[in-house]
Amino acid sequence: MPKLETEIAGIKMKNPVMVASGTFGFGKEYAEYIDLNKLGAIVTKSITLKPREGNPPPRLVETPAGMLNSIGLENPGIEGFLAEELHFLAKFDTPIIVNIAGESIEEYAELAKILSREPTVKGLEINISCPNVKKGGMSFGMDPKLTAEVIAQVRKSALSLPIIAKLTPNVTDITVIAKAAVEAGADALSAINTILGMAIDIETGKSRLGTLTGGLSGPAIKPIALRMVYEISHTVNVPVIGIGGIVSGQDAYEFILAGAKAVQVGTANFIDVEAPLKIIKELEAYLNKDLPG
Ligand code: RRO
């Protein structure tokens, strides 16, 4: 299917549909139900240097047309990831992109250095947009100077590995951050991470999450994501990966029309394990113009 094949910063993919970080774990649970070889790429849950337990529960709340999460970067740490997870992902003929997060610029750089030695890893997604941690995360991606510093250091440490900066929507003008990331050496951008939100329990008068706030995802955020992907892709000259509430081939195609070269499917994975595969098929029909639009 020549129309579906694509390439992002040298990462060759069978199709432009990737699975989004944090919605697909490290692939094991999904591999029991779907053929991971059919995916464009797999982006892992964010990895930090040290293992993290994440935030106190409850950490998920359903909202109209979406959900809030306050996971707080739960992950096994880089050693746990390399020892327990990466070898499983290496079995598939699908590019593996590791999402990395840190509390300091040095932490990002160290992770990039370690992962650049792993032949299974085809790219890094730099998470400068997690809304659920006190240190690091989104605070880097809300500031163009810090964005540039993180990306520049990762660029040096990752050697020839492609790097994708994952941007936060929680800013006034996302194009300012996009430009800073690209000027500092990002090969591609992915957007958007979740939108800072809140849900209140009217019985207790308190937040329905263990932390006060969380990140909103799902169809509720699609129009915002689409607008931001349009703005970014009309500002910078690197490939943009569209993320935000994609649940159908039509949604994916809208992101492509907005300027994205590829897309990531996130929250839809929690609704239907086959969502990414269905989206690939439906998108193929749009790209081959079998359908109107
Ligand atoms: O783990 C999380 O709480 C989390 C992360 Br790292 C992120 O990038 N985005 C999000 O909504 N949640």
Side-chain angles (χ1 to χ4, degrees):
M1 299 299 166
K3 276 218 159 173
L4 275 194
E5 280 172 19
T6 192
E7 180 246 300
I8 296 272
I11 307 168
K12 289 202 171 63
M13 307 194 293
K14 293 181 194 115
N15 62 71
V17 181
M18 318 159 72
V19 286
S21 179
T23 66
F24 211 75
F26 302 107
K28 274 185 194 147
E29 296 84 353
Y30 285 89
E32 291 177 28
Y33 300 99
I34 64 165
D35 182 1
L36 302 193
N37 293 301
K38 292 187 173 160
L39 300 169
I42 296 171
V43 187
T44 69
K45 170 69 184 157
S46 296
I47 300 293
T48 50
L49 269 184
K50 297 271 168 273
R52 287 177 62 104
E53 284 186 0
N55 290 331
R59 310 196 295 191
L60 292 178
V61 173
E62 199 171 334
T63 62
M67 57 173 262
L68 284 164
N69 86 82
S70 62
I71 304 301
L73 261 173
E74 178 181 345
N75 80 96
I78 187 70
E79 279 176 26
F81 171 70
L82 294 178
E84 311 289 336
E85 309 293 348
L86 190 58
H87 62 96
F88 174 78
L89 289 167
K91 289 192 275 198
F92 301 96
D93 178 30
T94 300
I96 304 304
I97 296 170
V98 179
N99 181 302
I100 59 170
E103 290 186 1
S104 66
I105 292 174
E106 293 71 29
E107 188 174 346
Y108 282 94
E110 181 65 17
L111 285 161
K113 191 167 139 200
I114 297 168
L115 288 162
S116 70
R117 300 184 198 121
E118 297 293 332
T120 304
V121 179
K122 298 293 183 267
L124 299 177
E125 186 175 63
I126 320 306
N127 189 349
I128 46 172
S129 45
C130 174
N132 298 325
V133 287
K134 287 201 185 86
K135 283 193 207 151
M138 187 170 88
S139 60
F140 286 114
M142 292 169 81
D143 178 332
K145 233 178 122 223
L146 290 176
T147 295
E149 280 174 32
V150 174
I151 299 302
Q153 286 306 315
V154 169
R155 178 64 286 155
K156 271 194 217 153
S157 309
L159 305 176
S160 61
L161 210 52
I163 60 172
I164 304 162
K166 184 166 181 178
L167 307 186
T168 175
N170 301 304
V171 289
T172 309
D173 183 354
I174 199 163
T175 66
V176 173
I177 309 292
K179 271 193 261 177
V182 172
E183 278 161 20
D187 302 298
L189 301 175
S190 56
I192 58 175
N193 206 319
T194 53
I195 300 174
L196 204 55
M198 196 172 175
I200 290 181
D201 180 339
I202 56 166
E203 301 299 327
T204 62
K206 298 205 168 108
S207 172
R208 289 174 67 198
L209 291 164
T211 50
L212 196 58
T213 59
L216 183 66
S217 63
I221 73 166
K222 195 187 91 176
I224 298 171
L226 210 51
R227 185 261 297 175
M228 289 190 161
V229 164
Y230 183 93
E231 288 174 345
I232 298 165
S233 54
H234 287 76
T235 303
V236 295
N237 269 327
V238 299
V240 177
I241 303 165
I243 322 167
I246 296 172
V247 299
S248 69
Q250 181 180 322
D251 293 334
Y253 190 46
E254 286 178 32
F255 275 90
I256 305 276
L257 293 175
K261 193 167 184 196
V263 296
Q264 291 180 10
V265 175
T267 304
N269 296 319
F270 298 138
I271 302 163
D272 178 2
V273 283
E274 292 186 5
L277 302 187
K278 288 180 187 162
I279 291 167
I280 293 166
K281 272 208 188 123
E282 291 167 13
L283 178 63
E284 183 177 17
Y286 281 104
L287 292 175
N288 286 326
K289 292 276 183 238
D290 291 346
L291 289 176

